[in-house]
Structures are given as structure tokens and as C-alpha cells.
Amino acid sequence: MAESFFDRVYKNKTQHTPDVLSCLANLSNDEVFTPPEVVNQMLDLLPQELFQDPNTTFLDPACKTGVFLREIAKRLLVGLEDKIPDLQVRIDHIFHKQLYGIAITELTSLLSRRSLYCSKYPNGPYSITHFDDAEGNIRYRRINHTWVNGKCKYCGVSKKTALGNENRKTELETHAYEWIHTDNPERLLNMKFDVIISNPPYQLDDGGNGASAKPIYHRFIEQAKKLNPRYLTMIIPARWYAGGKGLDNFRKSMLDDGQISHLVDYVNAKDCFPGISIGGGVCYFLRTKGYSGRCHYTNIHDGHTSTAIRRLNEYEVFIRYNEAISIIEKVKEQNEKCFACHVGARNPYGLSSSFRGEKETGEIALYSSEGISYIKKSQVIQGYDTINKYKVMISKVTAEHAGEPDKDGMLGVLSTTKRLEPNEVCTDSYLIAYASDSLTEVNNCIEYMKTKFFRFLLLQAVSSINLSKDKFIFVPDQDYNVVWNDKKLYKKYHLSKSEIDFIENMIKTKSGGDN
């Protein structure tokens, strides 16, 4: 029997023909495209009877390639075969009554319609189902930002960044995504949805210093919750685990939300999105209406998969490695102070990362990302209490770009760890982790910080490339009149062989000397 048009388009029987959406998913872009295999992993979390029900409705509120709706359509076409035997009638019912999308740009609306309807114009002759208009069920509206004191009240983008100069063409995309630029998203389509599923845009330039960007993915989730769907699933950056930059309230709401039944975590985003680096990795979750209980949590790193049933709010920040829980508990049993009490705030001496001194000798030596220069003592703006002490200086960013391990799957965590002498300071590129009048204490503190034990516990609160005082909350303080090494620490905290092996196989050995 001759192969039908549906077979050729939707069943992808030809193995050697690459899926165009798989190819797009490998492109680096601010708005990351989702590989079809990842979409199907997310769909596998849903009750599969949803795809056998002709009344189930699905919405993607941030359509880019249309891959979510396309993969749902494939399942519905199979699942409804007994209920709607006629293929064309089944196609018409699914595409008209069950699948809906809101595109993020005009281009993605065309791409999504092409993926779903096999034509960017579903009222044209090439669409596999006919609509009376060129939009079908994939909506796109060009929305303007709402400015309050120079920033959009919905997404936080600055007016200057969004509009640019006065010669900017008015027909260019505003990136004011319709789903999050309204107080009442339920009014956009005026209907209830059983499933809301998406990979939303992750961030927008907020007009801050340098390459400052404001996360916006959490706003898509918050809007989706307003519709109270039976199931909500999205794939997003995992940086929310530790909060920060507008995410603290979102983190708390996610960790305290007892309706999240599943959470799948990729430490290295490249394991999910090949070729794309996303600091802190990515995750996807399933929120199930009416569910109450612990979450089925799966962590994936370096080819290793670990699953546990846990409460997400066990700690203030989310612990992504299941194997780390028992280690943290053993440390807590000692009731010791936290190392974070020593770590200073960012910009320890009030000198920006771009600040530079003079090359010739001066009163104070200044460490910056470009090396040593010299400044007058009067140029130091703050941190006077540590200027005349010995200090431990660490880089403000981790050793790994985007939290990605090396080729052996190992992590260094700390980058620069250096002793500063009295009358030596640093720019905002660094943090002061410890300060003392005692050279012995500072040297011993550095040795402690180089241990795998220290860096492993630091890692548990790190969900981006940036370090700050709060990231040291799981690291215990020590007596720095003592020289510490991993063997002593493992013994002190009664770690088992499996716990020691987990640390040893994850954290790199840090070489001696300042580095």
C-alpha cells in the first residue's frame, strides 16, 4: 500500500533523514530550541491516557519551533485511532479542538505552523488541516512593553535596551512576550487547558552593568499557574535552585509547592541541549494538580543517573545531588559554625572589576583580572578592617564555565585561591573568603579550601558560575591552627566509603601553592 502524506510527514520512518527540529535544537541562541527527544521525555511523564481522550486540551504559551505541539499531535493521532477511525477527521479534530499555541515572535509563529500544519499558512492549499484564517490555533500578537520608570513593569527590560536608538525600525520584534505581558493570561484564549507545556525564553537584557540579564522564565510558570491546568510541565534553567536576581520568591514557591510530582535535573545543559552552554544546567518538572507528597527527583550528570523520592524544601536551597544529602546531614550533626560567617560581601573594597591602578609601586597593591597595579590607600572605599590583615582571595566565578565538568567528568569549583598580604586588596572580580592577623591561620584556611571536602560542600549551593557569601552555607568552619586535609575531614565527619568515593570521583585534586 502506498505511503500516505501523514506517514511521510509525521511518522519519520526514514532513519537517515535528520529531523529539522533536531538540527535547530543544536543551534546556539538566546531562545533555546528543544530537541524532539527531550520533548518526548517530558511527555512521558504525563498520564498516557491523556492522548486517548478527544477532550484533552494542550497549550504551549511560548512556541518557537512548534515541536511540543507536533510531538503531542503524533501521540494523539495514534491514541485516538479507535475513537476517530477516519484519519482526516481525526487530524481535523486534534488540530482544531485540542492543540493551541502562543508564539513568541512572528518568525516562530510561522515556523510553528509549518511544523504542526505542514504549512506556515493553515488556510492555504498545503496545510494538512484547513482553517479559515492564516493563524490557525497558533496565535501571535505584536505586544508593546509597558514602561514604568524606564523599565517594563512585566518583564523588567529597560526602555533604553528594548528601543535602542531613535533610528530603530518600528517593525522589529519587541520581545514583549504576550503570555507574560498581561495581568490576566486566562483571557488570551478564554478557555481551560488540561496540559500547559513549554520551553520559555530564559532571560532578557535588563540594562544593567555589563552583560546584565534578567531571568524571565519563571514569569511564564507563574502565569501558567493562574490557569490552574491539570498538568504543567516546562523546561527551564536550574539556577532557581539557589535563587538570586529576582528568583528568591520563585525558588521558595517551587520548593514549597507540594504539587510538583516530578523533577528531572541536568547538571550539564549539554546533556540536554547538545552544543549549548547554560550556567547551572537545566531541568524540567511536572506539576500535577491535586498531587500532595514527595517529588520523584532525577539527577543526571556525567552519564550517571540518580533518582530519589524527596521533599524539595528539605533545605533553604535545593540539593541537586541525591548522594550529597547524607554527607550534609553528617556535617550538620556536629553543630558547627558555617564558613559563610567569614566570607565578605561582594566588591570587598568598593573597587569595580574594571578599576585599575598605576603600574609603579604605591601604598596599596591592587589585584585585578589583569594582574597587579598600585593605588593610594585613600582610593579604597570600604573594607578597611581587613586591609592590614592576611587574607584569602578567591575568584567571584567558579572554575567551570556554565558548571560543565572537564573531559573526565571532574569539577574544580574554586578558581583562584590566593593569599593576600597586609596592604594588598582586590577589585570586584574577587571575594575575600577569610581574613586574620595570623599568617598560620590564613595558610591553614587555604589548605582547607583546597580540600575536595570543602569544594564538594560549596558545590551543593552553587547553581550558576557566580560565587557569593550565601553559597558557603553547607561548609563547616574549622580550627585554623590545625592543618586540614581530606583524610582528616572524612574521619571527623564519619563519611562512609561510598560517600568518600562520590566526593573523590566528582571533585578535582587542587594543586599546592597559590592558584
Side-chain angles (χ1 to χ4, degrees):
M1 185 172 65
E3 186 178 52
S4 71
F5 178 67
F6 163 73
D7 288 328
R8 294 196 305 273
V9 172
Y10 269 91
K11 289 189 177 178
N12 283 321
K13 286 183 176 180
T14 308
Q15 295 297 316
H16 66 273
T17 303
D19 185 338
V20 66
L21 301 190
S22 293
C23 297
L24 283 171
N26 286 315
L27 299 178
S28 178
N29 196 287
D30 289 339
E31 288 139 1
V32 180
F33 296 125
T34 318
E37 56 269 25
V38 175
V39 172
N40 279 292
Q41 290 168 19
M42 296 170 68
L43 294 177
D44 286 343
L45 293 181
L46 295 167
Q48 296 306 292
E49 56 266 26
L50 290 170
F51 304 104
Q52 300 168 6
D53 185 348
N55 297 311
T56 306
T57 52
F58 301 83
L59 170 67
D60 179 354
C63 286
K64 287 176 276 192
T65 64
V67 64
F68 285 99
L69 298 178
R70 189 193 74 173
E71 297 304 308
I72 292 169
K74 288 182 181 180
R75 297 190 181 214
L76 289 170
L77 283 162
V78 174
L80 297 179
E81 188 171 6
D82 290 341
K83 294 183 174 66
I84 309 176
D86 185 276
L87 177 59
Q88 189 59 53
V89 174
R90 192 159 72 250
I91 289 173
D92 292 340
H93 174 83
I94 292 167
F95 292 158
H96 285 254
K97 302 294 185 182
Q98 295 188 266
L99 302 180
Y100 299 83
I102 299 175
I104 60 173
T105 67
E106 184 175 13
L107 177 62
T108 62
S109 73
L110 298 174
L111 182 56
S112 296
R113 293 183 196 117
R114 177 65 180 82
S115 297
L116 189 62
Y117 307 133
C118 305
S119 172
K120 60 185 178 180
Y121 301 116
N123 60 347
Y126 302 109
S127 176
I128 61 173
T129 186
H130 182 78
F131 285 85
D132 293 332
D133 57 54
E135 187 172 78
N137 279 352
I138 298 179
R139 169 193 178 100
Y140 172 71
R141 301 289 185 275
R142 190 177 189 276
I143 303 297
N144 291 317
H145 295 278
T146 302
W147 306 116
V148 176
N149 298 324
K151 290 188 178 288
C152 176
K153 78 169 189 175
Y154 291 109
C155 68
V157 68
S158 73
K159 188 174 184 179
K160 180 179 179 181
T161 299
L163 300 183
N165 60 52
E166 59 185 12
N167 297 320
R168 186 181 190 273
K169 296 180 180 179
T170 57
E171 67 270 17
L172 292 178
E173 292 289 352
T174 63
H175 295 285
Y177 306 119
E178 185 179 22
W179 184 247
I180 63 172
H181 283 75
T182 175
D183 293 317
N184 305 106
E186 65 275 8
R187 296 179 183 175
L188 296 181
L189 297 172
N190 289 315
M191 62 181 294
K192 296 287 289 183
F193 291 95
D194 296 294
V195 178
I196 297 180
I197 183 170
S198 197
N199 177 7
Y202 294 162
Q203 62 188 32
L204 282 175
D205 185 342
D206 63 6
N209 293 328
S212 178
K214 187 179 185 68
I216 58 171
Y217 56 87
H218 60 297
R219 297 185 182 274
F220 283 81
I221 296 169
E222 291 165 348
Q223 294 288 79
K225 287 182 179 180
K226 292 179 181 179
L227 272 67
N228 197 25
R230 291 169 61 194
Y231 302 97
L232 168 61
T233 178
M234 291 194 185
I235 185 165
I236 57 176
R239 289 189 290 269
W240 65 268
Y241 293 167
K245 197 147 190 176
L247 293 172
D248 287 337
N249 290 335
F250 176 72
R251 173 193 63 190
K252 181 170 174 53
S253 70
M254 289 289 283
L255 296 182
D256 291 344
D257 189 341
Q259 296 184 86
I260 296 179
S261 57
H262 293 79
L263 177 61
V264 179
D265 173 39
Y266 291 86
V267 174
N268 187 347
K270 289 181 179 178
D271 291 336
C272 185
F273 299 121
I276 295 178
S277 295
I278 299 172
V282 295
C283 65
Y284 59 84
F285 66 91
L286 175 65
R287 185 176 190 263
T288 302
K289 182 179 178 180
Y291 179 81
S292 178
R294 294 184 294 174
C295 176
H296 294 253
Y297 170 70
T298 300
N299 172 262
I300 301 166
H301 66 94
D302 191 34
H304 174 72
T305 298
S306 170
T307 298
I309 300 176
R310 293 169 44 187
R311 289 185 296 108
L312 298 183
N313 59 357
E314 291 169 306
Y315 300 95
E316 184 179 345
V317 299
F318 182 67
I319 307 300
R320 71 193 315 177
Y321 299 102
N322 292 317
E323 296 87 347
I325 299 293
S326 61
I327 299 172
I328 290 173
E329 286 299 316
K330 287 181 177 180
V331 171
K332 285 179 63 180
E333 288 173 2
Q334 301 281 344
N335 292 317
E336 296 171 310
K337 287 197 308 181
C338 174
F339 186 83
C341 68
H342 297 295
V343 181
R346 60 169 297 179
N347 202 355
Y349 299 103
L351 305 172
S352 70
S353 295
S354 60
F355 185 85
R356 300 291 182 268
E358 303 297 328
K359 291 300 180 184
E360 59 271 12
T361 301
E363 295 178 292
I364 300 286
L366 173 69
Y367 283 82
S368 72
S369 58
E370 292 183 0
I372 303 175
S373 59
Y374 298 90
I375 62 174
K376 295 179 181 178
K377 202 165 188 176
S378 60
Q379 291 178 278
V380 176
I381 296 173
Q382 59 196 31
Y384 307 112
D385 58 325
T386 64
I387 291 177
N388 296 321
K389 294 184 176 184
Y390 296 100
K391 302 167 283 286
V392 183
M393 180 186 78
I394 61 172
S395 176
K396 200 170 66 174
V397 298
T398 62
E400 287 78 29
H401 173 62
E404 295 164 7
D406 65 12
K407 59 182 176 60
D408 297 319
M410 305 284 278
L411 295 163
V413 189
L414 284 174
S415 181
T416 299
T417 307
K418 181 176 180 59
R419 186 185 75 225
L420 297 189
E421 305 294 322
N423 289 324
E424 292 183 345
V425 298
C426 59
T427 69
D428 189 30
S429 295
Y430 303 95
L431 296 172
I432 297 300
Y434 185 81
S436 174
D437 294 320
S438 168
L439 177 60
T440 296
E441 287 185 2
V442 167
N443 286 339
N444 287 343
C445 181
I446 289 175
E447 291 306 308
Y448 176 50
M449 294 177 70
K450 289 180 179 179
T451 65
K452 292 188 176 187
F453 175 84
F454 181 102
R455 289 177 289 134
F456 175 82
L457 290 172
L458 171 60
L459 178 66
Q460 303 318 306
V462 173
S463 59
S464 71
I465 65 171
N466 296 307
L467 293 177
S468 55
K469 182 183 181 77
D470 60 303
K471 301 300 186 291
F472 294 81
I473 59 173
F474 297 122
V475 182
D477 200 14
Q478 306 294 343
D479 177 359
Y480 301 112
N481 291 304
V482 176
V483 179
W484 292 100
N485 58 41
D486 280 312
K487 186 175 181 180
K488 285 184 181 179
L489 291 164
Y490 295 155
K491 182 177 181 180
K492 176 181 177 179
Y493 295 100
H494 310 293
L495 300 194
S496 67
K497 184 179 184 305
S498 62
E499 291 167 336
I500 293 171
D501 289 345
F502 188 73
I503 295 174
E504 290 287 326
N505 293 328
M506 176 177 287
I507 306 299
K508 294 179 185 178
T509 298
K510 202 165 181 64
S511 60
D514 292 342
N515 52 70

